Short mmCIF file of all heavy atoms in Angstrom, two decimals:
data_model
loop_
_atom_site.label_atom_id
_atom_site.label_comp_id
_atom_site.label_asym_id
_atom_site.label_seq_id
_atom_site.Cartn_x
_atom_site.Cartn_y
_atom_site.Cartn_z
N ASP A 1 0.82 -1.21 0.00
CA ASP A 1 0.00 0.00 0.00
C ASP A 1 0.86 1.26 0.00
O ASP A 1 0.49 2.28 -0.59
CB ASP A 1 -0.94 0.01 1.21
CG ASP A 1 -2.13 -0.92 1.03
OD1 ASP A 1 -2.43 -1.28 -0.13
OD2 ASP A 1 -2.76 -1.30 2.04
N MET A 2 2.02 1.20 0.66
CA MET A 2 2.94 2.34 0.64
C MET A 2 3.44 2.61 -0.78
O MET A 2 3.48 3.75 -1.24
CB MET A 2 4.12 2.08 1.58
CG MET A 2 3.76 2.10 3.04
SD MET A 2 5.08 1.44 4.11
CE MET A 2 6.37 2.65 3.85
N VAL A 3 3.81 1.53 -1.48
CA VAL A 3 4.24 1.68 -2.87
C VAL A 3 3.11 2.24 -3.71
O VAL A 3 3.30 3.13 -4.56
CB VAL A 3 4.71 0.32 -3.43
CG1 VAL A 3 4.99 0.41 -4.92
CG2 VAL A 3 5.96 -0.14 -2.69
N PHE A 4 1.90 1.75 -3.47
CA PHE A 4 0.73 2.21 -4.21
C PHE A 4 0.51 3.70 -4.00
O PHE A 4 0.25 4.45 -4.96
CB PHE A 4 -0.49 1.41 -3.74
CG PHE A 4 -1.71 1.62 -4.59
CD1 PHE A 4 -1.80 1.06 -5.85
CD2 PHE A 4 -2.78 2.35 -4.12
CE1 PHE A 4 -2.93 1.25 -6.64
CE2 PHE A 4 -3.92 2.53 -4.89
CZ PHE A 4 -3.98 1.98 -6.16
N LEU A 5 0.64 4.17 -2.75
CA LEU A 5 0.48 5.60 -2.47
C LEU A 5 1.57 6.42 -3.16
O LEU A 5 1.30 7.49 -3.71
CB LEU A 5 0.51 5.84 -0.96
CG LEU A 5 -0.72 5.38 -0.19
CD1 LEU A 5 -0.48 5.49 1.31
CD2 LEU A 5 -1.95 6.21 -0.58
N LYS A 6 2.79 5.91 -3.13
CA LYS A 6 3.87 6.65 -3.77
C LYS A 6 3.65 6.76 -5.27
O LYS A 6 3.93 7.79 -5.89
CB LYS A 6 5.21 5.98 -3.49
CG LYS A 6 6.37 6.77 -4.06
CD LYS A 6 7.70 6.12 -3.80
CE LYS A 6 8.81 6.92 -4.47
NZ LYS A 6 10.13 6.30 -4.32
N GLN A 7 3.14 5.70 -5.87
CA GLN A 7 2.87 5.73 -7.31
C GLN A 7 1.83 6.79 -7.65
O GLN A 7 1.80 7.30 -8.76
CB GLN A 7 2.41 4.35 -7.78
CG GLN A 7 3.52 3.33 -7.80
CD GLN A 7 3.02 1.92 -8.08
OE1 GLN A 7 1.82 1.64 -7.97
NE2 GLN A 7 3.93 1.03 -8.46
N HIS A 8 1.00 7.14 -6.67
CA HIS A 8 0.00 8.20 -6.86
C HIS A 8 0.48 9.53 -6.30
O HIS A 8 -0.34 10.43 -6.03
CB HIS A 8 -1.33 7.79 -6.22
CG HIS A 8 -2.09 6.77 -7.02
ND1 HIS A 8 -1.80 5.42 -6.97
CD2 HIS A 8 -3.11 6.91 -7.91
CE1 HIS A 8 -2.62 4.78 -7.77
NE2 HIS A 8 -3.42 5.65 -8.36
N LYS A 9 1.79 9.66 -6.12
CA LYS A 9 2.44 10.93 -5.74
C LYS A 9 2.00 11.44 -4.37
O LYS A 9 2.00 12.65 -4.12
CB LYS A 9 2.16 12.01 -6.79
CG LYS A 9 2.43 11.58 -8.23
CD LYS A 9 3.88 11.19 -8.44
CE LYS A 9 4.13 10.81 -9.90
NZ LYS A 9 5.52 10.33 -10.13
N VAL A 10 1.64 10.54 -3.47
CA VAL A 10 1.29 10.95 -2.11
C VAL A 10 2.58 11.15 -1.32
O VAL A 10 3.43 10.26 -1.25
CB VAL A 10 0.41 9.90 -1.40
CG1 VAL A 10 0.16 10.29 0.05
CG2 VAL A 10 -0.91 9.75 -2.15
N ARG A 11 2.73 12.34 -0.72
CA ARG A 11 3.96 12.70 -0.03
C ARG A 11 3.67 13.06 1.42
O ARG A 11 2.51 13.13 1.85
CB ARG A 11 4.64 13.87 -0.73
CG ARG A 11 5.09 13.55 -2.17
CD ARG A 11 5.76 14.75 -2.80
NE ARG A 11 6.31 14.44 -4.11
CZ ARG A 11 5.62 14.48 -5.24
NH1 ARG A 11 4.34 14.84 -5.22
NH2 ARG A 11 6.20 14.18 -6.39
N LYS A 12 4.74 13.31 2.15
CA LYS A 12 4.62 13.68 3.55
C LYS A 12 3.74 14.92 3.69
O LYS A 12 3.93 15.91 2.98
CB LYS A 12 6.01 13.96 4.15
CG LYS A 12 5.97 14.30 5.63
CD LYS A 12 7.37 14.53 6.18
CE LYS A 12 7.31 14.88 7.67
NZ LYS A 12 8.66 15.11 8.24
N GLY A 13 2.78 14.84 4.61
CA GLY A 13 1.88 15.96 4.85
C GLY A 13 0.61 15.93 4.04
O GLY A 13 -0.36 16.64 4.37
N ASP A 14 0.56 15.13 2.96
CA ASP A 14 -0.67 15.01 2.17
C ASP A 14 -1.75 14.31 2.99
O ASP A 14 -1.47 13.48 3.85
CB ASP A 14 -0.42 14.20 0.90
CG ASP A 14 0.38 14.97 -0.13
OD1 ASP A 14 0.60 16.17 0.07
OD2 ASP A 14 0.79 14.35 -1.14
N ARG A 15 -3.01 14.66 2.72
CA ARG A 15 -4.13 14.03 3.40
C ARG A 15 -4.61 12.81 2.62
O ARG A 15 -4.70 12.85 1.40
CB ARG A 15 -5.29 15.00 3.54
CG ARG A 15 -5.28 15.92 4.75
CD ARG A 15 -4.02 16.69 4.96
NE ARG A 15 -4.20 17.70 6.00
CZ ARG A 15 -3.22 18.36 6.56
NH1 ARG A 15 -1.97 18.13 6.20
NH2 ARG A 15 -3.45 19.29 7.48
N VAL A 16 -4.92 11.73 3.35
CA VAL A 16 -5.44 10.50 2.74
C VAL A 16 -6.73 10.12 3.46
O VAL A 16 -6.72 9.83 4.66
CB VAL A 16 -4.43 9.34 2.84
CG1 VAL A 16 -5.06 8.04 2.32
CG2 VAL A 16 -3.16 9.67 2.06
N LEU A 17 -7.86 10.15 2.74
CA LEU A 17 -9.15 9.78 3.32
C LEU A 17 -9.25 8.27 3.47
O LEU A 17 -8.80 7.51 2.60
CB LEU A 17 -10.30 10.27 2.45
CG LEU A 17 -10.64 11.76 2.41
CD1 LEU A 17 -11.90 11.97 1.59
CD2 LEU A 17 -10.83 12.31 3.81
N LEU A 18 -9.88 7.83 4.57
CA LEU A 18 -10.18 6.42 4.80
C LEU A 18 -11.65 6.30 5.17
O LEU A 18 -12.06 6.69 6.26
CB LEU A 18 -9.32 5.87 5.94
CG LEU A 18 -7.84 5.63 5.64
CD1 LEU A 18 -7.06 5.46 6.93
CD2 LEU A 18 -7.69 4.39 4.79
N TRP A 19 -12.43 5.76 4.25
CA TRP A 19 -13.88 5.60 4.50
C TRP A 19 -14.23 4.15 4.23
O TRP A 19 -14.50 3.74 3.11
CB TRP A 19 -14.67 6.53 3.59
CG TRP A 19 -16.12 6.66 3.97
CD1 TRP A 19 -16.66 6.58 5.22
CD2 TRP A 19 -17.21 6.93 3.08
NE1 TRP A 19 -18.02 6.77 5.18
CE2 TRP A 19 -18.40 6.99 3.88
CE3 TRP A 19 -17.30 7.13 1.71
CZ2 TRP A 19 -19.64 7.24 3.32
CZ3 TRP A 19 -18.57 7.38 1.16
CH2 TRP A 19 -19.73 7.44 1.97
N ASP A 20 -14.21 3.37 5.29
CA ASP A 20 -14.38 1.93 5.16
C ASP A 20 -14.66 1.35 6.53
O ASP A 20 -14.11 1.82 7.53
CB ASP A 20 -13.09 1.32 4.58
CG ASP A 20 -13.22 -0.16 4.27
OD1 ASP A 20 -14.29 -0.57 3.79
OD2 ASP A 20 -12.25 -0.89 4.51
N PRO A 21 -15.50 0.31 6.64
CA PRO A 21 -15.68 -0.36 7.94
C PRO A 21 -14.35 -0.95 8.41
O PRO A 21 -13.44 -1.19 7.62
CB PRO A 21 -16.70 -1.46 7.63
CG PRO A 21 -17.42 -1.00 6.39
CD PRO A 21 -16.39 -0.25 5.60
N ASN A 22 -14.25 -1.20 9.72
CA ASN A 22 -13.04 -1.80 10.27
C ASN A 22 -12.75 -3.12 9.57
O ASN A 22 -13.62 -3.99 9.46
CB ASN A 22 -13.20 -2.04 11.77
CG ASN A 22 -13.22 -0.74 12.55
OD1 ASN A 22 -12.75 0.29 12.07
ND2 ASN A 22 -13.77 -0.77 13.75
N SER A 23 -11.53 -3.28 9.12
CA SER A 23 -11.13 -4.49 8.40
C SER A 23 -9.62 -4.51 8.30
O SER A 23 -8.95 -3.50 8.52
CB SER A 23 -11.73 -4.50 6.98
OG SER A 23 -11.12 -3.49 6.18
N PRO A 24 -9.03 -5.67 7.96
CA PRO A 24 -7.58 -5.71 7.75
C PRO A 24 -7.10 -4.74 6.68
O PRO A 24 -6.02 -4.16 6.79
CB PRO A 24 -7.32 -7.16 7.33
CG PRO A 24 -8.44 -7.93 7.99
CD PRO A 24 -9.62 -7.02 7.92
N ARG A 25 -7.90 -4.54 5.63
CA ARG A 25 -7.51 -3.60 4.57
C ARG A 25 -7.46 -2.18 5.10
O ARG A 25 -6.60 -1.38 4.71
CB ARG A 25 -8.48 -3.70 3.39
CG ARG A 25 -8.36 -4.96 2.60
CD ARG A 25 -7.01 -5.08 1.88
NE ARG A 25 -6.91 -4.20 0.74
CZ ARG A 25 -6.10 -3.17 0.63
NH1 ARG A 25 -5.29 -2.85 1.62
NH2 ARG A 25 -6.06 -2.44 -0.45
N TRP A 26 -8.41 -1.83 5.98
CA TRP A 26 -8.38 -0.49 6.60
C TRP A 26 -7.10 -0.32 7.40
O TRP A 26 -6.43 0.72 7.34
CB TRP A 26 -9.60 -0.31 7.50
CG TRP A 26 -9.81 1.08 8.00
CD1 TRP A 26 -10.71 1.99 7.52
CD2 TRP A 26 -9.14 1.73 9.08
NE1 TRP A 26 -10.62 3.17 8.24
CE2 TRP A 26 -9.66 3.04 9.20
CE3 TRP A 26 -8.12 1.35 9.97
CZ2 TRP A 26 -9.22 3.96 10.15
CZ3 TRP A 26 -7.66 2.26 10.91
CH2 TRP A 26 -8.22 3.55 11.01
N VAL A 27 -6.76 -1.34 8.19
CA VAL A 27 -5.55 -1.29 9.02
C VAL A 27 -4.31 -1.07 8.15
O VAL A 27 -3.47 -0.21 8.45
CB VAL A 27 -5.40 -2.59 9.84
CG1 VAL A 27 -4.06 -2.62 10.56
CG2 VAL A 27 -6.55 -2.72 10.84
N SER A 28 -4.21 -1.82 7.07
CA SER A 28 -3.06 -1.70 6.18
C SER A 28 -2.99 -0.32 5.55
O SER A 28 -1.92 0.30 5.50
CB SER A 28 -3.12 -2.77 5.09
OG SER A 28 -2.06 -2.62 4.17
N ALA A 29 -4.12 0.19 5.09
CA ALA A 29 -4.15 1.51 4.45
C ALA A 29 -3.75 2.61 5.44
O ALA A 29 -3.01 3.54 5.09
CB ALA A 29 -5.53 1.78 3.87
N PHE A 30 -4.25 2.51 6.67
CA PHE A 30 -3.92 3.51 7.69
C PHE A 30 -2.42 3.51 7.99
O PHE A 30 -1.76 4.56 8.00
CB PHE A 30 -4.70 3.25 8.97
CG PHE A 30 -4.39 4.22 10.08
CD1 PHE A 30 -5.06 5.43 10.19
CD2 PHE A 30 -3.40 3.93 11.01
CE1 PHE A 30 -4.75 6.33 11.20
CE2 PHE A 30 -3.08 4.82 12.02
CZ PHE A 30 -3.76 6.02 12.12
N PHE A 31 -1.87 2.32 8.24
CA PHE A 31 -0.44 2.22 8.55
C PHE A 31 0.42 2.65 7.36
O PHE A 31 1.49 3.23 7.54
CB PHE A 31 -0.08 0.80 8.96
CG PHE A 31 -0.40 0.49 10.40
CD1 PHE A 31 -0.97 -0.73 10.74
CD2 PHE A 31 -0.13 1.39 11.41
CE1 PHE A 31 -1.26 -1.03 12.06
CE2 PHE A 31 -0.42 1.10 12.74
CZ PHE A 31 -0.98 -0.12 13.06
N ALA A 32 -0.03 2.35 6.15
CA ALA A 32 0.72 2.77 4.96
C ALA A 32 0.76 4.29 4.85
O ALA A 32 1.82 4.88 4.58
CB ALA A 32 0.11 2.16 3.71
N ALA A 33 -0.38 4.93 5.05
CA ALA A 33 -0.43 6.39 5.00
C ALA A 33 0.50 6.99 6.05
O ALA A 33 1.28 7.92 5.77
CB ALA A 33 -1.86 6.88 5.21
N ALA A 34 0.45 6.44 7.27
CA ALA A 34 1.31 6.95 8.34
C ALA A 34 2.78 6.75 8.02
O ALA A 34 3.62 7.59 8.34
CB ALA A 34 0.96 6.25 9.66
N SER A 35 3.11 5.64 7.37
CA SER A 35 4.51 5.30 7.12
C SER A 35 5.13 6.13 6.00
O SER A 35 6.35 6.28 5.95
CB SER A 35 4.64 3.81 6.79
OG SER A 35 4.27 3.02 7.91
N VAL A 36 4.32 6.66 5.09
CA VAL A 36 4.86 7.55 4.06
C VAL A 36 4.80 9.00 4.50
O VAL A 36 5.17 9.91 3.75
CB VAL A 36 4.13 7.38 2.71
CG1 VAL A 36 4.27 5.96 2.19
CG2 VAL A 36 2.67 7.80 2.80
N GLY A 37 4.33 9.23 5.74
CA GLY A 37 4.28 10.59 6.27
C GLY A 37 3.02 11.34 5.94
O GLY A 37 2.90 12.54 6.24
N ALA A 38 2.05 10.65 5.31
CA ALA A 38 0.78 11.30 5.00
C ALA A 38 -0.07 11.42 6.27
O ALA A 38 0.21 10.78 7.28
CB ALA A 38 0.02 10.52 3.93
N VAL A 39 -1.11 12.22 6.19
CA VAL A 39 -2.02 12.43 7.32
C VAL A 39 -3.32 11.69 7.02
O VAL A 39 -4.02 12.02 6.06
CB VAL A 39 -2.30 13.92 7.55
CG1 VAL A 39 -3.26 14.12 8.72
CG2 VAL A 39 -0.99 14.67 7.79
N ALA A 40 -3.62 10.68 7.82
CA ALA A 40 -4.85 9.92 7.61
C ALA A 40 -6.06 10.72 8.06
O ALA A 40 -6.02 11.43 9.07
CB ALA A 40 -4.79 8.60 8.39
N VAL A 41 -7.14 10.62 7.29
CA VAL A 41 -8.40 11.26 7.64
C VAL A 41 -9.47 10.17 7.68
O VAL A 41 -10.17 9.94 6.70
CB VAL A 41 -8.78 12.37 6.64
CG1 VAL A 41 -10.06 13.08 7.07
CG2 VAL A 41 -7.64 13.37 6.48
N PRO A 42 -9.57 9.45 8.81
CA PRO A 42 -10.57 8.37 8.90
C PRO A 42 -11.97 8.94 9.06
O PRO A 42 -12.19 9.88 9.83
CB PRO A 42 -10.13 7.60 10.15
CG PRO A 42 -9.40 8.61 10.98
CD PRO A 42 -8.76 9.56 10.03
N LEU A 43 -12.91 8.37 8.33
CA LEU A 43 -14.28 8.86 8.35
C LEU A 43 -15.22 7.84 8.98
O LEU A 43 -15.05 6.64 8.81
CB LEU A 43 -14.76 9.16 6.92
CG LEU A 43 -13.91 10.14 6.12
CD1 LEU A 43 -14.50 10.34 4.74
CD2 LEU A 43 -13.78 11.49 6.84
N ASP A 44 -16.21 8.35 9.68
CA ASP A 44 -17.26 7.51 10.25
C ASP A 44 -18.01 6.83 9.11
O ASP A 44 -18.42 7.49 8.15
CB ASP A 44 -18.20 8.38 11.08
CG ASP A 44 -19.19 7.58 11.93
OD1 ASP A 44 -19.59 6.47 11.50
OD2 ASP A 44 -19.56 8.07 13.00
N ILE A 45 -18.20 5.51 9.21
CA ILE A 45 -18.90 4.80 8.14
C ILE A 45 -20.36 5.24 8.02
O ILE A 45 -21.00 5.00 7.00
CB ILE A 45 -18.82 3.28 8.31
CG1 ILE A 45 -19.49 2.84 9.62
CG2 ILE A 45 -17.39 2.80 8.24
CD1 ILE A 45 -19.63 1.34 9.75
#
């Protein structure tokens, strides 16, 4: 997911929305955003 974000030019400080029920994919996406320095914006389902 980190590679995927980088391919879409997501950089440190960029916002990444997360709108999804709790799931392993949500966990991976959140940690990936945090690891590339992006700011996660989790939304209530």
Side-chain angles (χ1 to χ4, degrees):
D1 284 340
M2 290 167 66
V3 173
F4 190 73
L5 288 172
K6 184 181 177 183
Q7 289 172 343
H8 284 81
K9 311 299 182 184
V10 175
R11 297 180 174 86
K12 182 178 179 180
D14 287 351
R15 274 51 170 168
V16 174
L17 287 186
L18 287 164
W19 192 31
D20 186 39
N22 291 339
S23 69
R25 289 295 286 113
W26 190 101
V27 173
S28 177
F30 178 87
F31 279 138
S35 295
V36 300
V39 179
V41 183
L43 304 180
D44 190 328
I45 61 171

